[in-house]
Amino acid sequence: MRRAPHDEDRDRLMYGALLDAVRGLRWRARRVSRIAVPGIHPSRVRGTSAEFTEYRAYRQGDDLRRIDWKLFARSDRAHVRISEERAVTPTCLVLDASASMAFPDGPGSKWSLAQQLAVALASVAHSGGDPVGLMIAGNPRATIPPRTRRGIVAEVIEKVADTSATGSSPLAGALTAAARSASRIAIVSDFLGDPDDVSRIARELIAAGRDVHALHIIAAEELDPPRAVSLVIDPESSDVRRYMADSVRDEYLRSYAEWREVTATRWLASGAAYRTIVVGKEPVSHSVRRVVRDEPAASRAG
Amino acid sequence: MSFLAPGFLIAAAGAALGVVALHFIVTRRPRAVSFPTARFVPDVPVTARARSVHLSDLLLLAVRVLIILLAGAALARPIFPPEREQVVRVIAADVSGSVENVAETRDSVRALFRPGDAIVLFDTATWSVETPDSVRARPGVASNGSLSAGLIGALRAGSRVREGADSVELLVVSPATLGERDRATAAIRAQWPGRGRLVRVSATPSTDSLITPTTQLSFLSASRPRLAVARNRIDTVGAVVAGGHVVIAPFERRWRFVSDSLAHSRVIARWVDGEPAAIEWDSASTCMRSIAVPVDSTGDMLLRPSFAGFRAALARPCLQVGSAPDPEATTMLAATGNLATAAQFPPSMDVDSPLARWLAALAIALAIIDMILRRPRNEESGK
């Protein structure tokens, strides 16, 4: 369905400052690409570009045009000139739109931050010439395969704006689907849904050469819950109903910190780029810079 | 100010204390909120002590306590008693047919009456009037009065005037004839907790000789007694009683008195099952009797001593009008001892309490305010 023009204006206004703030950023691939399409990222494919790398002894089947004839004249041995190629990195942003992402209510929710991160990362990747796609768990209509066309960022904006965080769709399926067409996958989630499955699939993808970024979104209220006594209910599992009070607060903080530690360790051990991003703690553009510059986990929560 | 039913006020005070206690120890369910990391909260029972009492809570508490106290006060029926007299009188004035001239009774009451006194008029019923000028007989009532009825009315009046006096004196203005006294009179008089005084007025002249009943001794004939109708089905009954004389015999009941006849007459003999067997009624200056007791004149019943007594009881003179004065009435009604103190009378519920209505209205208004105050709290807890 075509969106109304005023919706697009609103989105442009909402994301305009953020897109300005991330303009000029480059999102370097953490791994060499296996794709031959020319781009800015290092490629495993050795080619004939001007950027010389090494000589290699001629082997049968090599292109005769790549033989360095001057070296052959000096050494009487045939060598082939090897140069490094640059390739593109198809990028897919996988967003978790489960009900837990809708916390807390209002514009400061985890889902709101996930939307902004997705738009900013899509913009950064697109400005580097990389195809950009989108996958939202629980909303198959919002799927965009990686593309380099001009309007792809606007398309991402439209899709994330049309999606609200509800239900409890598993993230693993979206991750698997994203891996079919992308060599770089950025997962934006609170990892409260199916962390084991997601982690396992991510490990397999990394082993297969994919570049995986795990952006762990945390709400400030989760790190420092209100002190008023309340009955807290898991939005994705209404069976989980607990009483939050001062007497159990320390135990909660300890358990939650332990879980975050385990999650971080698991992601880092799998070779993914793991970042925790706390809602409202820093401008979104700063979070994007940390992600694309692959800065170590200086901002680990807690 | 005093209360007609102070028990309600005490109960309300107790209830208010309970509400205050409950208010401070009440447990509230905490607010339910969505929290994605709820799974990390230990699943243990939690109690928390409120750190402060909100102003709205105190206001709510005050309103509720006020509602209870006002409702209790309204039920307790507060009154402002009149200026307290040392002695007030309850004047029971006889306006029955036993009084020769009701005007004499009125004059006596006027002479006795002082502001704050209560006047109770009686014949066979009793009612109150405010002033001596209102002392008059009920139209159409010519029968003997009932001292018992008058004393009961006086006792009720004693409860009504207790708030305005230290002592209450009983004054009975009556001819106190024998016909006005019954077996309950002495017992009812004993209920009055003090001495009294009888002010005699003239009784209707004794005309006993004139009121020998015009008796139709129907049991000697087979004709229908006056005011009686034939029974649908003749039945038998084993005995008949009149004036303490019982005649035991297999009587055939052929007649019965209809309720219209009984309304204006008195029963003077009954069958053993309680049905009237003979009645009498006043007629001008005499009285009439009708006896529906069929007797077989061929048997020996007429010769039995019990039947002779039964017959004498039915033939004795009527005592309804113009009876002789009761010689024991003065002693019985005056009694001895001190005047009755006000506290000896139970509080009367007949006293009007205008303040009670206002208090009840105020309690209702506060109940509405309570609902308004509660609404925001309910909405908050419902979120």
Side-chain angles (χ1 to χ4, degrees), chain B residues 10 12 18 46-47 59 80 87 111 124 141 203 225 264 362 368:
Chain B
I10 295 167
V46 166
T47 55
L59 190 61
F80 294 100
V87 178
T124 53
V141 178
H264 304 287
L362 196 55
I368 294 168

Tab-separated table of all heavy atoms in Angstrom, chain B residues 10 12 18 46-47 59 80 87 111 124 141 203 225 264 362 368:
chain	number	residue	atom	x	y	z
B	10	ILE	N	-23.138	4.673	69.512
B	10	ILE	CA	-22.007	3.895	70.040
B	10	ILE	C	-21.540	2.896	68.989
B	10	ILE	O	-20.346	2.722	68.746
B	10	ILE	CB	-22.420	3.190	71.346
B	10	ILE	CG1	-22.715	4.246	72.422
B	10	ILE	CG2	-21.338	2.233	71.810
B	10	ILE	CD1	-23.423	3.703	73.636
B	12	ALA	N	-21.884	3.166	65.789
B	12	ALA	CA	-21.240	3.902	64.694
B	12	ALA	C	-19.811	4.274	65.069
B	12	ALA	O	-18.901	4.199	64.238
B	12	ALA	CB	-22.043	5.155	64.369
B	18	GLY	N	-13.160	0.855	63.518
B	18	GLY	CA	-12.793	-0.275	62.664
B	18	GLY	C	-12.322	0.173	61.304
B	18	GLY	O	-11.340	-0.344	60.765
B	46	VAL	N	5.927	-11.162	47.997
B	46	VAL	CA	6.530	-9.884	48.358
B	46	VAL	C	5.550	-9.092	49.193
B	46	VAL	O	4.360	-9.043	48.902
B	46	VAL	CB	6.874	-9.093	47.078
B	46	VAL	CG1	7.170	-7.645	47.408
B	46	VAL	CG2	8.070	-9.715	46.395
B	47	THR	N	6.036	-8.536	50.276
B	47	THR	CA	5.223	-7.567	51.023
B	47	THR	C	6.044	-6.297	51.124
B	47	THR	O	7.262	-6.337	51.246
B	47	THR	CB	4.895	-8.056	52.439
B	47	THR	OG1	6.122	-8.363	53.101
B	47	THR	CG2	4.009	-9.282	52.393
B	59	LEU	N	-8.068	12.127	53.248
B	59	LEU	CA	-9.347	12.772	52.956
B	59	LEU	C	-10.440	11.719	52.819
B	59	LEU	O	-11.538	11.855	53.364
B	59	LEU	CB	-9.213	13.579	51.659
B	59	LEU	CG	-10.368	14.508	51.331
B	59	LEU	CD1	-10.532	15.545	52.418
B	59	LEU	CD2	-10.126	15.195	49.991
B	80	PHE	N	-33.524	17.841	70.825
B	80	PHE	CA	-33.241	18.906	71.781
B	80	PHE	C	-34.403	18.935	72.770
B	80	PHE	O	-35.491	19.405	72.446
B	80	PHE	CB	-33.108	20.243	71.059
B	80	PHE	CG	-31.909	20.286	70.155
B	80	PHE	CD1	-32.043	20.094	68.795
B	80	PHE	CD2	-30.643	20.478	70.679
B	80	PHE	CE1	-30.944	20.115	67.963
B	80	PHE	CE2	-29.533	20.499	69.847
B	80	PHE	CZ	-29.680	20.320	68.492
B	87	VAL	N	-41.507	18.394	87.755
B	87	VAL	CA	-42.532	17.354	87.667
B	87	VAL	C	-43.446	17.679	86.491
B	87	VAL	O	-43.878	18.823	86.346
B	87	VAL	CB	-43.379	17.289	88.960
B	87	VAL	CG1	-44.463	16.223	88.814
B	87	VAL	CG2	-42.510	17.003	90.164
B	111	ALA	N	-58.121	22.268	84.876
B	111	ALA	CA	-57.645	22.700	86.190
B	111	ALA	C	-56.307	22.057	86.542
B	111	ALA	O	-55.476	22.665	87.222
B	111	ALA	CB	-58.687	22.347	87.251
B	124	THR	N	-62.526	3.090	75.009
B	124	THR	CA	-61.956	1.743	74.867
B	124	THR	C	-60.656	1.804	74.079
B	124	THR	O	-59.926	0.829	73.981
B	124	THR	CB	-62.940	0.815	74.136
B	124	THR	OG1	-63.323	1.445	72.910
B	124	THR	CG2	-64.167	0.560	74.974
B	141	VAL	N	-69.522	6.627	70.420
B	141	VAL	CA	-69.009	5.645	71.377
B	141	VAL	C	-69.701	5.888	72.709
B	141	VAL	O	-69.463	6.903	73.359
B	141	VAL	CB	-67.484	5.759	71.536
B	141	VAL	CG1	-66.987	4.765	72.576
B	141	VAL	CG2	-66.805	5.516	70.205
B	203	ALA	N	-70.080	9.740	87.299
B	203	ALA	CA	-70.395	8.643	86.396
B	203	ALA	C	-71.822	8.791	85.898
B	203	ALA	O	-72.645	9.474	86.513
B	203	ALA	CB	-70.229	7.316	87.118
B	225	PRO	N	-82.622	-16.743	67.125
B	225	PRO	CA	-82.260	-15.616	68.000
B	225	PRO	C	-81.969	-14.364	67.167
B	225	PRO	O	-81.587	-14.470	65.992
B	225	PRO	CB	-80.997	-16.103	68.699
B	225	PRO	CG	-80.924	-17.563	68.458
B	225	PRO	CD	-81.628	-17.816	67.188
B	264	HIS	N	-70.465	-4.879	66.917
B	264	HIS	CA	-71.099	-3.880	67.798
B	264	HIS	C	-71.660	-4.512	69.056
B	264	HIS	O	-72.560	-3.959	69.685
B	264	HIS	CB	-72.227	-3.166	67.035
B	264	HIS	CG	-71.759	-2.533	65.765
B	264	HIS	ND1	-70.992	-1.393	65.767
B	264	HIS	CD2	-71.905	-2.898	64.475
B	264	HIS	CE1	-70.706	-1.068	64.513
B	264	HIS	NE2	-71.250	-1.975	63.699
B	362	LEU	N	-26.960	14.535	55.034
B	362	LEU	CA	-25.533	14.873	54.990
B	362	LEU	C	-24.689	13.613	54.759
B	362	LEU	O	-23.702	13.630	54.005
B	362	LEU	CB	-25.137	15.552	56.302
B	362	LEU	CG	-23.807	16.304	56.321
B	362	LEU	CD1	-23.759	17.338	55.206
B	362	LEU	CD2	-23.608	16.969	57.666
B	368	ILE	N	-21.696	10.296	48.329
B	368	ILE	CA	-21.486	10.660	46.922
B	368	ILE	C	-20.083	11.243	46.748
B	368	ILE	O	-19.361	10.916	45.799
B	368	ILE	CB	-22.567	11.654	46.470
B	368	ILE	CG1	-23.934	10.964	46.486
B	368	ILE	CG2	-22.261	12.196	45.082
B	368	ILE	CD1	-25.100	11.899	46.336
